[in-house]
Amino acid sequence: MRKTARYASLAAAGLLAVSSLTACANDAASSTSDTGSGGGGKGENVKIMVGGLDKVIYLPAMLTQRLGYFKAEGLNVSLLSEPAGVQAETALVSGQVQGAVGFYDHTLDLQVKGKSVESVVQFSHAPGEVEVVSGKAAGTLTSPKDFKGKKLGVTGLGSSTDFLTKYLAVKNGVQVNEFTPVAVGAGPTFIAALQKGAIAGGMTTDPTVATILKQKAGKVLLDMRTPEGSQKALGGPYPSSSLYMQTDWVNSHKDTVQKLVNAFVKTLKWMSTHSASEIAAKMPADYSQGDKTLYAEAVKSTLPMFTDDGVMPKGGPETVEKVLKAFNPNIKNAKVDLDKTYTTEFVDQAAK
């Protein structure tokens, strides 16, 4: 069985920065790596692009490194960060990196474009996304039925937040040409757009959500950080953040992929037995931006989205296909081979 992942966010230009928890990974060139792993730096070198290292939905990437699990597998892993999952996907397809941490849904999108990529370990069974609305627009934007005529923030055009926003619109009787998606990134740029009225609302993740609520810049309209929230909004489990890779590379580097999956599965199990505060304490100090309590709360709010074994949730790929077919004409009119968008080969072995 196979599966894949993908995610997105694009920083908007010209918006004033607002103090926020999300700052560490906003630079496209930011990176972190294990050095000297595998005994004096002799371990295998692997580059992984993350669609926002400091986003809680992608927390397993940095946490795995911080726990030393990559090194324990004999890997020198460089974690690179782009503000948008779309850019992470591009880096993968162009061969700049060997893996991408992003949303699974883009494996389907890429397949119909002739690209073969697959999820090798699934971090989540819910999107971890939240639709928020500004205080000023709260009176006229009370559900997705009110999206018509509104400017709505997404991390990037063509991103998973863009995909999910369009699905929620269509599901509630609003056509995709009846509202305007605006690429505003995450963190400071998203919050600034909300406060300045550039968007009436939008879709984002923690720690941006936690910051918005603390600053009273907006309120939650729809919460998809839990499996229950995913079921209510999307009609089933929605596998989102994952490690996905080009299928050809996976098939020719199975030993390396197995080591990566072993490390990530170990992290997911560790997360399932530790508190949000303990998890937050393992992350880089600047992720909390001076407010450790708020950052721990952001982690706590998002924890329900994660799997504890890296296995694709039953029915998850079918939910993703249903969502994408609702608004994406390329996928709607194409035959998608879901079995080629993910594989359980490596998580099955890791479980042993």
Side-chain angles (χ1 to χ4, degrees):
M1 294 289 292
R2 340 254 340 179
K3 293 195 171 161
T4 275
R6 148 88 169 65
Y7 182 68
S9 99
L10 193 64
L15 292 174
L16 295 175
V18 174
S19 63
S20 151
L21 288 175
T22 43
C24 170
N26 284 345
D27 294 331
S30 67
S31 67
T32 178
S33 63
D34 283 325
T35 56
S37 62
K42 294 180 181 178
E44 299 169 74
N45 295 315
V46 180
K47 291 182 180 179
I48 297 175
M49 186 67 78
V50 184
L53 261 174
D54 59 345
K55 294 175 183 175
V56 180
I57 57 170
Y58 298 141
L59 179 148
M62 177 58 74
L63 182 58
T64 302
Q65 190 176 84
R66 302 283 287 188
L67 291 171
Y69 292 161
F70 291 136
K71 287 182 70 174
E73 291 288 335
L75 299 173
N76 295 318
V77 174
S78 295
L79 295 175
L80 309 172
S81 185
E82 286 281 8
V86 174
Q87 295 161 342
E89 172 195 288
T90 300
L92 175 70
V93 173
S94 65
Q96 297 175 48
V97 296
Q98 289 76 52
V101 168
F103 266 39
Y104 161 73
D105 53 20
H106 289 274
T107 61
L108 281 73
D109 189 46
L110 284 169
Q111 186 184 112
V112 300
K113 294 175 181 176
K115 305 292 183 182
S116 183
V117 297
E118 61 187 23
S119 167
V120 297
V121 55
Q122 194 62 46
F123 299 161
S124 59
H125 46 197
E129 301 283 351
V130 177
E131 185 72 24
V132 297
V133 58
S134 71
K136 185 177 180 180
T140 58
L141 180 52
T142 60
S143 82
K145 294 179 181 179
D146 301 323
F147 281 1
K148 188 173 182 178
K150 302 292 193 302
K151 290 183 178 180
L152 300 173
V154 297
T155 48
L157 301 180
S159 70
S160 293
T161 51
D162 188 20
F163 290 170
L164 288 170
T165 300
K166 287 175 178 174
Y167 174 72
L168 290 173
V170 171
K171 180 186 178 185
N172 287 276
V174 180
Q175 299 306 305
V176 295
N177 62 352
E178 293 181 316
F179 71 95
T180 305
V182 183
V184 293
T189 51
F190 186 102
I191 297 170
L194 201 65
Q195 292 178 324
K196 291 162 67 74
I199 55 175
M203 191 171 293
T204 190
T205 61
D206 276 313
T208 306
V209 176
T211 306
I212 288 170
L213 297 179
K214 182 182 180 182
Q215 294 183 357
K216 294 182 171 53
K219 66 178 186 177
V220 173
L221 185 68
L222 192 147
D223 194 337
M224 294 180 287
R225 289 175 291 190
T226 67
E228 294 79 16
S230 177
Q231 179 72 41
K232 183 177 180 181
L234 306 174
Y238 197 92
S240 55
S241 57
S242 63
L243 172 67
Y244 63 97
M245 314 179 89
Q246 294 201 62
T247 302
D248 286 346
W249 199 91
V250 172
N251 291 336
S252 59
H253 296 80
K254 289 198 172 187
D255 185 54
T256 302
V257 176
Q258 187 63 63
K259 292 175 181 178
L260 286 167
V261 173
N262 289 346
F264 279 123
V265 169
K266 197 172 179 181
T267 295
L268 292 169
K269 289 187 182 302
W270 187 92
M271 289 171 61
S272 71
T273 59
H274 289 75
S275 69
S277 295
E278 289 172 323
I279 295 169
K282 288 288 185 182
M283 303 303 285
D286 55 354
Y287 277 29
S288 68
Q289 290 295 293
D291 195 333
K292 293 181 180 180
T293 301
L294 185 61
Y295 182 66
E297 282 298 315
V299 172
K300 184 178 181 180
S301 296
T302 305
L303 274 181
M305 74 175 280
F306 294 109
T307 68
D308 62 4
D309 55 11
V311 175
M312 178 67 78
K314 184 177 177 59
E318 289 77 11
T319 303
V320 172
E321 183 180 30
K322 178 195 71 174
V323 166
L324 296 183
K325 280 184 178 292
F327 66 87
N328 187 323
N330 294 328
I331 293 181
K332 186 174 184 178
N333 301 316
K335 169 79 173 146
V336 179
D337 189 343
L338 293 177
D339 284 350
K340 291 183 178 179
T341 61
Y342 70 98
T343 176
T344 62
E345 173 185 350
F346 302 99
V347 290
D348 289 345
Q349 184 62 36
K352 297 176 182 178

